[in-house]
């Protein structure tokens, strides 16, 4: 499969489920991506989407994941999902036969990408679409699958409520994160009592209202920081009155202030953008 770019045409895409190989991989390099906003869909094969530069979001029923550079999203075969992305976006993706995928990856999750896993995905994407299943290729794919199984899960997941009233609140928070309304105000806007809102969101997400909002802010912050936005700008865009209050929240959730978290992340993966 050719590398997908801004100049790719629909006929350049071949449905991976129709290719009788246990792993079908490709690269993508969009310099000026207007927008990816796919409808909910699924594949028979499981999918790993690795982001080398840029960022994307993946939503499944019950959850939203942010995928910044040097991370990947794992989507099990048969799972209904949608992808959102815009701007410049580069990386690799692979579709894997469900019977060959790691048993530990039974649910959608964001994972950290090691230098070895990145190179294995790159190597897999360089193969012809209908490659010969030689011993060398099989061994390479086995190592790739082992690396996926051992990958570190990243805390970039936001449980999404199914209740239509809670979803209205969630969608508004995602659309306008700087709008820091109190829970009392949110409850009144969807005609719920504060107590009922608190009970419902805990039941549907496993988080308190404030904890859910913090997790949303952290995910958006990581996405924006990875794109080069300053900590000061991120704090403002999230509605924080001061940078220190934002930094404190970020550190409480992810264990390090924004600058150090991003620096350690890039250092840990050993990946440096060229």
């Amino acid at each position: 499969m050719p590398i997908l770019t801004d100049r790719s045409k629909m006929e350049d895409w071949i449905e991976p489920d129709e290719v009788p190989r246990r792993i079908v991989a490709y690269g993508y390099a969009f310099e000026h991506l207007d927008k990816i906003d796919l409808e909910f869909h699924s594949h028979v094969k499981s999918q790993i989407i690795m982001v080398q530069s840029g960022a994307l979001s993946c939503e499944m029923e019950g959850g939203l994941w942010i995928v910044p550079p040097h991370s990947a999203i794992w989507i099990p075969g048969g799972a209904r999902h949608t992808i959102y992305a815009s701007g410049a976006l580069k990386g690799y993706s692979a579709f894997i036969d469900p019977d060959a995928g790691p048993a530990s990856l039974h649910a959608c999750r964001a994972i950290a990408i090691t230098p070895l896993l990145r190179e294995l995905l790159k190597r897999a994407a360089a193969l012809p679409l209908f490659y010969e299943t030689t011993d060398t290729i099989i061994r390479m794919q086995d190592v790739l699958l082992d690396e996926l199984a051992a990958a570190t899960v990243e805390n970039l997941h936001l449980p999404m409520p199914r209740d239509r009233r809670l979803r209205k609140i969630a969608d508004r928070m995602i659309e306008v994160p700087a709008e820091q309304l109190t829970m009392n105000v949110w409850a009144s806007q969807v005609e719920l009592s504060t107590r009922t809102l608190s009970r419902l969101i805990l039941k549907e997400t496993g988080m308190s209202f404030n904890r859910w909002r913090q997790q949303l802010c952290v995910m958006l912050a990581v996405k924006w920081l990875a794109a080069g936005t300053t900590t000061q700008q991120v704090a403002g865009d999230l509605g924080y009155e001061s940078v220190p209050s934002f930094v404190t929240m970020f550190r409480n959730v992810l264990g390090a202030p924004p600058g150090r978290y991003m620096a350690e992340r890039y250092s840990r993966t050993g990946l440096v953008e060229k």
Side-chain angles (χ1 to χ4, degrees), residues 161 163-198 200-201 208-214 216-217 220 237-239:
D163 183 277
R164 61 177 179 78
R165 295 161 297 183
L166 297 187
R167 186 56 193 252
K168 181 179 179 180
I169 294 174
D171 289 344
R172 178 63 180 178
M173 284 185 172
I174 292 171
E175 181 181 358
V176 191
E179 193 174 55
Q180 294 283 345
L181 304 181
T182 66
M183 188 165 70
N184 290 341
V185 173
W186 284 120
S188 66
Q189 289 192 358
V190 293
E191 300 181 344
L192 289 174
S193 68
T194 302
R195 188 172 182 177
T196 300
L197 173 57
S198 178
L200 275 178
I201 198 163
S208 68
F209 183 85
N210 288 335
R211 177 68 185 87
W212 187 92
R213 179 157 56 184
Q214 279 188 342
L216 169 62
C217 288
L220 293 175
D237 289 345
L238 291 176

Side-chain angles (χ1 to χ4, degrees), residues 57-68:
S57 305
C58 175
E59 183 176 355
M60 290 180 58
E61 295 177 357
L64 175 69
W65 283 261
I66 296 293
V67 190

